[in-house]
Amino acid sequence: MKDFTSTPPPVKHIAEPTVRRLSGYLRFLEAFDVEGHETISSGELARAGGTTSAQVRKDLSFFGSFGKRGLGYAVKDLIASLREILGLDTRWPVVIVGAGKIGAALAQYRGFGTHGFDVVGIYDTDPSRVGTRLNGVTVRADRDLEGDIATLTPRIAVLCVPGEAAQAALDRVVGAGIRAVLNFAPTSLVAPEGVTVRAVNMATELEVLAYALTNESRD
Amino acid sequence: MKDFTSTPPPVKHIAEPTVRRLSGYLRFLEAFDVEGHETISSGELARAGGTTSAQVRKDLSFFGSFGKRGLGYAVKDLIASLREILGLDTRWPVVIVGAGKIGAALAQYRGFGTHGFDVVGIYDTDPSRVGTRLNGVTVRADRDLEGDIATLTPRIAVLCVPGEAAQAALDRVVGAGIRAVLNFAPTSLVAPEGVTVRAVNMATELEVLAYALTNESRD
DNA sequence: AGTACCTTGTGAAGGATTTCACAAGCACCC
DNA sequence: GGGTGCTTGTGAAATCCTTCACAAGGTACT
């Protein structure tokens, strides 16, 4: 007798690096699928993701067993499983706070939509930006933020405001019920327990590179 | 007799998370300095950086001892030390490959320059973009890339090209001598030994948030 | 039907990073 | 000038993550 579930193990706590890698596997598999491949081995997946085959198998093993011994993984099935694991079997409404250079660029980024995220609102304090359209969504005044969050119920906010305004923006979206935030402002933010904040910080990325270049004596 | 050096320990290998945190401390300290504070304790720094005081002290201890027991750290001195550690006592010339939405937004990002990085070139294949000016730098044709890298000797390249073009762009800049790359394309890249590639991937960040929201059963 | 070959899934080992806990050092005050 | 209070710097312990190594399971070929 076979069982029905495709994701058996009762998931405990998964390390963030693992989740990041899963996302990377998914990205690669989508391209691999388009190229017409039917199956893939943990070794191939590892090479593409810059890791090892054992790591790939261990990452997946936290959530179930998805492969066939001797064969590898069915590409389409693994894509579906990863989507489910990452919570991408629903679409996620997102608000963008700040319609400056970065906010505008993000709003127009197509990959947003194709990966399961819908921009349902963009907000700015600058009256000259309010009312303009970005990729089909009209920029609204920041005073509409709380009301819109209540009615549109986005689960994720992307902050693209200047550093000085970032903490205030975070406090507002959190106050309105948002519990997951992606912060593009170059400031580290303090959030209450239960709110996940991820930061994308240009300066930090460049500094990590500068450090690597300065210390290239690691063999 | 006192010794001269402010960074005594012969640094072995430092974990990437440590370097990221150091960058974060620096970011916060710069703001803290502007507010007029003279000293800071590891505890305050920890709260700002979302970590613990022991972690802060351990991170710094890899590079030397910068504080005064009972007092804390002198803000200006610690800023200078961190800048030196991260390799920010020189300026770093940077080229941006791709002048689309993201490339253009980055080129106009002021924080670039204020943190020690100079955009010395922007390249694109689209003739309609070549010749336009972005924040004082003229977009040049992609065929100028190799020659410019040879003469301007940037050490870092920022890739803002579409996913399909990213690996080719990486190969070109690496071929021209670049050894540190920041990749904004949503593709994971394969680079030869000795080349550091860091990826900033919108999709991955959002997916980590989606995962967190889907599994908010972690108390 | 059996053999050879390949790849997964996973305990166990090994390494790395974080946290703990406390001695040592410094300033301030009486 | 000794006591008090605070904070650093750091070995040691604990935790977390990765790598190893191999049994188990599947396919293909003879």
Side-chain angles (χ1 to χ4, degrees):
Chain A
M1 249 275 180
K2 291 209 142 194
D3 74 0
F4 316 135
T5 80
S6 61
T7 351
V11 175
K12 269 280 175 285
H13 176 261
I14 300 297
E16 192 191 298
T18 300
V19 179
R20 296 185 88 74
R21 283 192 300 267
L22 292 176
S23 168
Y25 303 154
L26 175 56
R27 198 94 327 97
F28 177 75
L29 285 167
E30 287 168 340
F32 205 62
D33 181 38
V34 169
E35 288 173 21
H37 297 87
E38 303 270 314
T39 67
I40 190 169
S41 72
S42 57
E44 294 172 278
L45 207 36
R47 221 163 306 123
T51 177
T52 67
S53 64
Q55 181 78 78
V56 170
R57 296 196 301 275
K58 181 62 93 179
D59 286 343
L60 294 173
S61 77
F62 294 129
F63 300 94
S65 69
F66 306 99
K68 277 203 170 55
R69 298 175 190 222
L71 267 191
Y73 303 87
V75 174
K76 281 188 196 302
D77 292 356
L78 190 52
I79 288 175
S81 299
L82 285 172
R83 286 231 177 92
E84 189 188 329
I85 289 167
L86 291 171
L88 303 177
D89 40 6
T90 356
R91 295 196 67 83
W92 294 95
V94 172
V95 288
I96 297 177
V97 184
K101 302 267 163 45
I102 311 158
L106 284 184
Q108 286 162 284
Y109 170 55
R110 300 283 161 170
F112 240 119
T114 62
H115 282 94
F117 300 90
D118 295 311
V119 178
V120 297
I122 311 177
Y123 301 86
D124 207 296
T125 49
D126 183 343
S128 74
R129 293 207 264 247
V130 174
T132 58
R133 304 206 99 215
L134 294 169
N135 201 27
V137 183
T138 304
V139 178
R140 287 166 61 77
D142 79 298
R143 95 181 70 82
D144 297 325
L145 186 58
E146 281 84 356
D148 284 6
I149 291 177
T151 58
L152 303 170
T153 61
R155 304 291 309 276
I156 297 174
V158 180
L159 305 185
C160 304
V161 300
E164 319 83 68
Q167 184 67 57
L170 175 69
D171 295 344
R172 285 183 63 183
V173 297
V174 168
I178 294 277
R179 320 227 318 196
V181 175
L182 185 52
N183 175 35
F184 279 84
T187 319
S188 88
L189 302 178
V190 182
E193 186 83 2
V195 176
T196 309
V197 179
R198 304 211 42 76
V200 174
N201 193 324
M202 190 68 35
T204 293
E205 300 302 333
L206 289 171
E207 284 167 13
V208 172
L209 290 176
Y211 179 86
L213 285 172
T214 317
N215 300 65
E216 48 199 343
S217 49
R218 29 88 208 230
D219 313 316
Chain B
M1 250 276 184
K2 293 207 138 196
D3 75 1
F4 315 137
T5 80
S6 59
T7 352
V11 175
K12 270 280 177 284
H13 175 261
I14 300 297
E16 191 192 298
T18 301
V19 179
R20 295 185 89 74
R21 283 192 300 267
L22 292 175
S23 167
Y25 303 154
L26 175 56
R27 198 96 325 99
F28 178 75
L29 285 166
E30 288 168 339
F32 205 61
D33 180 38
V34 169
E35 288 173 19
H37 296 87
E38 303 269 313
T39 67
I40 191 169
S41 71
S42 58
E44 294 172 277
L45 208 36
R47 222 163 305 125
T51 177
T52 67
S53 63
Q55 181 79 81
V56 170
R57 295 198 300 277
K58 181 63 92 181
D59 286 343
L60 294 173
S61 78
F62 294 130
F63 300 93
S65 70
F66 305 99
K68 276 202 172 54
R69 296 174 189 223
L71 267 191
Y73 302 86
V75 173
K76 281 189 196 302
D77 292 356
L78 189 51
I79 289 175
S81 300
L82 285 172
R83 286 229 177 93
E84 189 188 329
I85 290 167
L86 292 170
L88 303 177
D89 40 6
T90 355
R91 295 195 68 82
W92 295 94
V94 172
V95 288
I96 297 177
V97 184
K101 301 268 163 45
I102 310 160
L106 283 183
Q108 284 162 285
Y109 170 56
R110 299 285 161 169
F112 240 120
T114 62
H115 282 94
F117 300 90
D118 294 312
V119 178
V120 297
I122 312 178
Y123 301 85
D124 206 295
T125 48
D126 182 343
S128 74
R129 292 208 264 248
V130 174
T132 59
R133 304 207 99 215
L134 294 169
N135 201 27
V137 183
T138 303
V139 178
R140 286 165 62 78
D142 79 297
R143 95 181 68 82
D144 297 325
L145 186 59
E146 281 84 356
D148 283 7
I149 291 177
T151 58
L152 303 170
T153 62
R155 305 290 309 278
I156 297 174
V158 180
L159 306 184
C160 305
V161 300
E164 318 84 68
Q167 184 68 55
L170 175 70
D171 295 343
R172 285 183 64 184
V173 298
V174 167
I178 294 277
R179 320 229 314 197
V181 175
L182 184 53
N183 175 35
F184 279 84
T187 319
S188 88
L189 303 178
V190 181
E193 187 82 2
V195 176
T196 308
V197 178
R198 302 211 43 73
V200 174
N201 193 325
M202 190 68 35
T204 293
E205 300 301 332
L206 289 172
E207 284 166 13
V208 172
L209 290 177
Y211 179 85
L213 285 172
T214 320
N215 300 65
E216 49 198 343
S217 49
R218 29 93 206 235
D219 324 307

